[in-house]
Amino acid sequence: MQVSKRLKNVTVGGSDGWGVFYRSRQMKAQGIPVVELTVGEHDIATDPEILKAMHQAGLDGYVGYQDFQGLLQLRERVADRVQRTTGVLTNPDQVLIVPGGQAGLFATHNLTCDEGDTALYIEPYYTTYPGTIRSVGGVPCAIQAHAANGFQPDPADIAKVASNARSLLINSPNNPTGVIYSQETMEGIAQVCRDEDLWLISDEVYDTQVWNGTHLSPRALPDMAERTLVIGSMSKSHAMTGSRIGWVVGPEEAVGYMGDLATHTTYGVPGFIQMAAVHALDMGSEFEARIAAPFRRRRDLVMGVLKGQNVVRAIPAEGAMYAMLDIRLTGMTGEEFAMEFLEAHHVAVMPGESFGAAAGGHLRVALTVADDRLEVALRQLLAFATERAARAAE
Ligand code: PMP
């Protein structure tokens, strides 16, 4: 079969570390109960009030083709939200509605990269990043953020490789590390983008999950609105992963070009889903805080379970729905640990290596099961690590 090199390339090298995930799915299919702490998906369903609004919108006629850029009502809500949370004047023509943040990642890289152009991103990274860049013909180039720096990226490292690049993709609050970029990091990143004429693609899908410090959108920094494309999504903030609804905010002209892409790919997002999103955004920040609350509680639970020992060290998550655990004292790679732990205790966690080499020797634990089950799983993980660390020290 003859297929494009571009698509053949999308997943090249992208499956490292996913063995644990596939093995856990296989065990489940065989009827073995597995505690899955792998994927970032809530343990609650979309709120019935949002689903009722979706149903009602269908009955009200939102079932036909829609404006490719997105319904004005929803673009207005998004523009207001972005303006309120970042202070940057934003109008609905600077908003493109897309079927989820992932579609935003695709649209923004399509906008910014020609075939063969270098697109930068920070490692550890959300797993689809390099594949998304390859899918538009770009050449992914990772810049490592180091465990020793608490996984804050260093703008000087970015500057070293920026001169031939078109774009830089960042993600704060970060998946998988839980790190929120400091003001200093963000300002340094913005300076590199101005100096090297880079587009900054800012993935802010975890902007409601902030536990420590403050989330700073780089679009709010001086002269950055003209070169920043912000990706937002209702997947995490409103527990609407399956509705596939998100946005890109950027300069009006850029949004226009991405609108052309939407016309030739998705043909817009279903009207009833957009109206449900309008309803969900109107439920306000209190609702968003309610959706985020379990992850903050469970993040505290992780810190509590791991207190008073140093075999497993948690990177203190400042945001997002994951705990990143350093298990290097066991002498095992994240991949070895996760696989053996899965076989021994039927608990699935992601090896750090699946988010790039910079996260080697770590595990990412999604805080996505009830507190009591999470606590049992963590205690098992700690006992397993303690036993392995003792063996390694022999
Ligand atoms: N960016 C990051 C950092 C993510 O973790 C995810 C989902 N896990 C996405 C983007 C895409 O999410 P969605 O397409 O559901 O909005």
Side-chain angles (χ1 to χ4, degrees):
M1 186 172 55
Q2 190 111 37
V3 300
S4 70
K5 290 190 195 70
R6 207 173 53 255
L7 283 201
K8 268 191 187 164
N9 259 334
V10 169
T11 57
V12 169
S15 61
D16 317 45
W18 283 85
V20 176
F21 178 76
Y22 297 128
R23 176 70 187 126
S24 82
R25 288 284 147 109
Q26 195 184 41
M27 286 165 81
K28 279 177 104 171
Q30 290 165 353
I32 303 169
V34 176
V35 180
E36 277 216 66
L37 307 174
T38 48
V39 184
E41 190 156 32
H42 314 68
D43 49 330
I44 52 160
T46 303
D47 194 278
E49 197 182 318
I50 299 173
L51 296 176
K52 274 188 206 144
M54 196 181 291
H55 183 73
Q56 191 57 47
L59 295 176
D60 289 346
Y62 287 92
V63 290
Y65 293 131
Q66 305 295 330
D67 177 343
F68 305 125
Q69 196 178 325
L71 284 175
L72 181 61
Q73 294 102 303
L74 181 54
R75 288 189 285 119
E76 279 171 351
R77 283 343 182 260
V78 172
D80 282 353
R81 184 179 190 273
V82 168
Q83 192 165 306
R84 192 167 14 89
T85 54
T86 66
V88 188
L89 216 58
T90 305
N91 72 59
D93 291 333
Q94 294 170 318
V95 179
L96 175 77
I97 301 302
V98 289
Q102 182 56 45
L105 288 164
F106 181 73
T108 50
H109 284 95
N110 231 311
L111 174 82
T112 53
C113 286
D114 277 313
E115 196 80 26
D117 281 343
T118 297
L120 309 175
Y121 64 107
I122 309 293
E123 184 184 313
Y125 53 84
Y126 172 51
T127 40
T128 68
Y129 283 1
T132 304
I133 293 167
R134 285 191 289 264
S135 74
V136 304
V139 180
C141 173
I143 298 148
Q144 289 202 338
H146 300 287
N149 295 340
F151 290 116
Q152 287 277 335
D154 184 346
D157 292 339
I158 302 170
K160 279 182 209 148
V161 290
S163 60
N164 292 319
R166 281 292 180 85
S167 60
L168 167 65
L169 169 59
I170 60 170
N171 171 223
S172 177
N174 187 267
N175 173 15
T177 64
V179 163
I180 293 182
Y181 295 4
S182 67
Q183 170 116 18
E184 195 188 347
T185 302
M186 276 302 188
E187 282 176 357
I189 286 173
Q191 193 54 48
V192 176
C193 292
R194 289 186 212 102
D195 290 348
E196 303 290 347
D197 193 17
L198 290 184
W199 280 102
L200 182 58
I201 301 173
S202 181
D203 179 343
E204 301 181 20
V205 304
Y206 293 99
D207 67 348
T208 61
Q209 300 180 356
V210 176
W211 323 135
N212 265 354
T214 29
H215 163 63
L216 170 66
S217 176
R219 184 167 172 265
L221 293 172
D223 301 325
M224 286 305 289
E226 65 204 55
R227 61 172 67 255
T228 304
L229 302 159
V230 174
I231 295 171
S233 167
M234 301 191 64
S235 288
K236 315 291 178 181
S237 58
H238 292 76
M240 291 179 71
T241 49
S243 292
R244 311 308 306 133
I245 183 93
W247 54 80
V248 179
V249 174
E252 208 171 307
E253 193 184 349
V255 165
Y257 284 117
M258 289 186 287
D260 290 345
L261 177 69
T263 311
H264 294 84
T265 50
T266 58
Y267 221 65
V269 175
F272 49 91
I273 291 180
Q274 294 194 64
M275 288 307 283
V278 166
H279 188 92
L281 288 174
D282 285 347
M283 286 164 81
S285 53
E286 240 170 69
F287 177 76
E288 295 176 13
R290 186 143 48 87
I291 298 296
F295 305 115
R296 164 179 241 146
R297 201 177 60 230
R298 292 171 191 163
R299 170 254 195 204
D300 292 344
L301 188 155
V302 172
M303 300 313 278
V305 169
L306 299 181
K307 221 164 90 184
Q309 56 79 48
N310 57 15
V311 177
V312 178
R313 208 174 55 84
I315 312 296
E318 294 164 331
M321 60 210 294
Y322 313 95
M324 191 75 155
L325 308 181
D326 180 348
I327 49 100
R328 284 176 290 181
L329 278 182
T330 62
M332 301 168 88
T333 64
E335 225 161 337
E336 287 163 352
F337 187 108
M339 196 56 105
E340 289 185 33
F341 182 55
L342 172 63
E343 297 296 344
H345 291 284
H346 302 169
V347 176
V349 298
M350 289 300 285
E353 290 81 7
S354 37
F355 311 101
H362 287 72
L363 304 170
R364 189 196 73 173
V365 179
L367 308 175
T368 47
V369 296
D371 301 30
D372 51 346
R373 291 176 75 208
L374 178 67
E375 182 164 354
V376 171
L378 281 166
R379 292 199 185 284
Q380 287 174 325
L381 189 149
L382 181 56
F384 184 84
T386 306
E387 187 249 317
R388 290 311 173 101
R391 254 200 241 175
E394 270 167 19

